[in-house]
Amino acid sequence: MKFNTKTIHGGQKPEETTGAVMPPVFLTSTFAKTSPTEHKGFEYSRGGNPTRAALENSLASLENGTHGFAFASGLAAIDAVLRLLNPGDEIIAGDDLYGGSYRMFTKLFQKYGLEFSFVNMDDVTNITDAITENTKLVWIETPTNPLMKIADIKAISSAVKDVDSTILIGVDNTFATPYLQQPLDLGTDIVMHSATKYLGGHSDLIMGALVVKDKKLAEDIHFIQSAAGAIAGPMDSFLALRGIKTLHIRMQRHCENGIAVAKFLEKHPKVSQVYYPGLEKHPNYELAKSQMNGFGGMVSFRLKEETQEAAYAFLENTKIFTLAESLGGVESLSNHPITMSHGSMPEEQKQRVGITNSLIRLSVGIEDIEDILADLEQALKA
């Protein structure tokens, strides 16, 4: 199947009992057995639920993997990856990544004995130079949140595996979605999504996802998913599966509107810098063009006036863009990373990577582009 067809049919089949085209929402905690060791495929919904299984099959299909896993949130999915490791293991991650990931790494898992190195992933040698005998995981986020940097997934995967083939490579694919890039095909071991965002697409659920190809890795993740219990519920699984069925057409519009917004902001006299991989001035433009099937709907920009007051004036005066946490819904959203998505990151780390008062992140929705641009124009005049 081609990708657009996969979003609707990938890993799916009509429900066996009734022939329902969409999987029913199995709101049950447990399943009847014919004997203590015999059942019909499901025993207890923490370990597996038919609605969640339908979603997980779809996720695996979209990412060209063999096993998908749906979790209660994106951070729960990352938590499951880190639980694959042991005290003393080291993780190399990008220095520009989602604030919640940084918080989990440094505030939770460091105190349990995991060690983290944060490097600029623009240069592959920064990663290979950081590898030690204790390195067990390389965590890539591309495009990054919020500065839209692009990491060369294939080059990083190849270089790391050349040093030590046992090191796991995971990619947070939330911003790109499988519509724009498929990291497993580029040599990674794990793909992660905050399905809250583009996969669900309608700002009505919280969910995370992992997809892998390796059978042993899948068995280990399934054990953690069941044993730790941070699973996606059946209703949210139904909503995510419904969202996935329009992922391709939504992403087409997100991409169209995203590049239009980036070009508009690039020419605006009150804007000093625009971060969007679809602009030729972006330092990773050629890499993004070769690695991704489009550039997405996330645009960050910096106001010339480097004050919180200027940023607040813009954010508080938009009409189409809603000032809110999250991203990836059909509606346009705005975000102030230094106080919102990355508010928990230490001040020195924010300044080091360039998360300052004037930086604004936009999740460009699928509204009419003329309305979107008019809203940006009037808010920038505020």
Side-chain angles (χ1 to χ4, degrees):
M1 292 181 189
K2 300 296 185 182
F3 185 85
N4 293 355
T5 308
K6 278 186 177 182
T7 62
I8 299 167
H9 299 288
Q12 302 302 295
K13 59 183 180 180
E15 196 268 331
E16 292 181 358
T17 303
T18 64
V21 173
M22 282 297 289
V25 182
F26 283 87
L27 294 173
T28 182
S29 60
T30 192
F31 302 83
K33 293 184 172 186
T34 55
S35 77
T37 57
E38 295 180 9
H39 53 81
K40 297 179 179 180
F42 299 93
E43 299 180 82
Y44 186 60
S45 276
R46 175 162 45 78
N49 176 281
T51 314
R52 191 172 87 229
L55 169 62
E56 292 173 336
N57 290 339
S58 175
L59 293 168
S61 174
L62 292 180
E63 287 285 8
N64 293 331
T66 56
H67 299 79
F69 304 90
F71 292 85
S73 68
L75 287 172
I78 298 174
D79 177 270
V81 173
L82 296 180
R83 288 174 187 267
L84 294 165
L85 309 179
N86 297 303
D89 289 347
E90 296 178 357
I91 299 92
I92 301 170
D95 59 359
D96 167 31
L97 78 168
Y98 169 50
S101 302
Y102 185 89
R103 178 181 58 211
M104 173 179 283
F105 292 172
T106 59
K107 299 296 184 182
L108 289 181
F109 279 91
Q110 254 185 348
K111 70 181 182 181
Y112 299 139
L114 297 183
E115 298 296 330
F116 296 87
S117 298
F118 299 96
V119 304
N120 185 338
M121 290 194 169
D122 282 347
D123 188 340
V124 177
T125 59
N126 291 339
I127 302 168
T128 54
D129 288 349
I131 293 175
T132 73
E133 62 181 11
N134 294 324
T135 302
K136 302 300 179 186
L137 172 67
V138 172
W139 189 255
I140 304 168
E141 188 179 292
T142 183
T144 62
N145 181 3
L147 294 175
M148 303 303 294
K149 291 163 64 176
I150 307 297
D152 191 330
I153 299 172
K154 187 173 183 179
I156 293 171
S157 299
S158 177
V160 170
K161 295 295 186 180
D162 282 346
V163 175
D164 185 346
S165 62
T166 67
I167 296 174
L168 292 173
I169 301 171
V171 173
D172 183 336
N173 203 26
T174 299
F175 273 23
T177 81
Y179 178 81
L180 298 181
Q181 71 186 10
Q182 295 164 333
L184 294 178
D185 291 345
L186 298 174
T188 70
D189 302 291
I190 303 169
V191 177
M192 174 266 168
H193 289 276
S194 174
T196 307
K197 315 306 194 292
Y198 285 106
L199 293 185
H202 293 80
S203 302
D204 55 8
L205 62 91
I206 301 291
M207 183 183 292
L210 298 176
V211 181
V212 301
K213 281 186 175 179
D214 182 77
K215 182 180 179 182
K216 176 62 167 59
L217 184 56
E219 290 172 349
D220 290 343
I221 291 174
H222 182 260
F223 172 79
I224 292 167
Q225 182 190 39
S226 179
I231 56 165
M235 190 66 215
D236 282 348
S237 296
F238 175 86
L239 290 172
L241 189 57
R242 184 176 67 171
I244 284 171
K245 290 184 183 296
T246 59
L247 175 66
H248 55 302
I249 55 175
R250 288 187 286 106
M251 289 306 298
Q252 289 167 19
R253 179 58 63 86
H254 283 301
C255 290
E256 292 169 6
N257 287 353
I259 187 66
V261 165
K263 288 181 176 179
F264 167 83
L265 292 170
E266 190 178 36
K267 297 176 181 178
H268 201 281
K270 288 194 175 182
V271 174
S272 64
Q273 193 167 2
V274 180
Y275 302 90
Y276 185 73
L279 294 176
E280 292 187 12
K281 290 182 180 179
H282 191 287
N284 307 128
Y285 170 72
E286 291 297 332
L287 171 59
K289 191 166 67 169
S290 65
Q291 181 170 279
M292 300 170 68
N293 178 38
F295 304 106
M298 298 302 300
V299 181
S300 294
F301 68 97
R302 208 177 289 279
L303 294 168
K304 284 185 179 178
E305 185 178 343
E306 180 64 59
T307 66
Q308 188 178 80
E309 290 75 19
Y312 277 29
F314 169 83
L315 293 165
E316 292 172 0
N317 282 281
T318 56
K319 309 300 182 186
I320 300 296
F321 283 84
T322 300
L323 177 59
E325 301 284 0
S326 199
L327 57 103
V330 293
E331 66 288 316
S332 291
L333 299 176
S334 60
N335 179 283
H336 192 224
I338 195 169
T339 58
M340 294 172 65
S341 60
H342 292 66
S344 63
M345 185 177 280
E347 193 62 34
E348 62 273 17
Q349 178 69 5
K350 294 179 192 175
Q351 296 299 321
R352 192 169 72 83
V353 300
I355 299 174
T356 62
N357 278 321
S358 69
L359 183 67
I360 293 168
R361 190 193 74 191
L362 302 177
S363 174
V364 183
I366 64 173
E367 301 96 341
D368 191 290
I369 188 59
E370 282 78 11
D371 291 330
I372 290 174
L373 297 182
D375 189 36
L376 293 173
E377 180 62 51
Q378 65 85 22
L380 283 166
K381 289 180 179 178

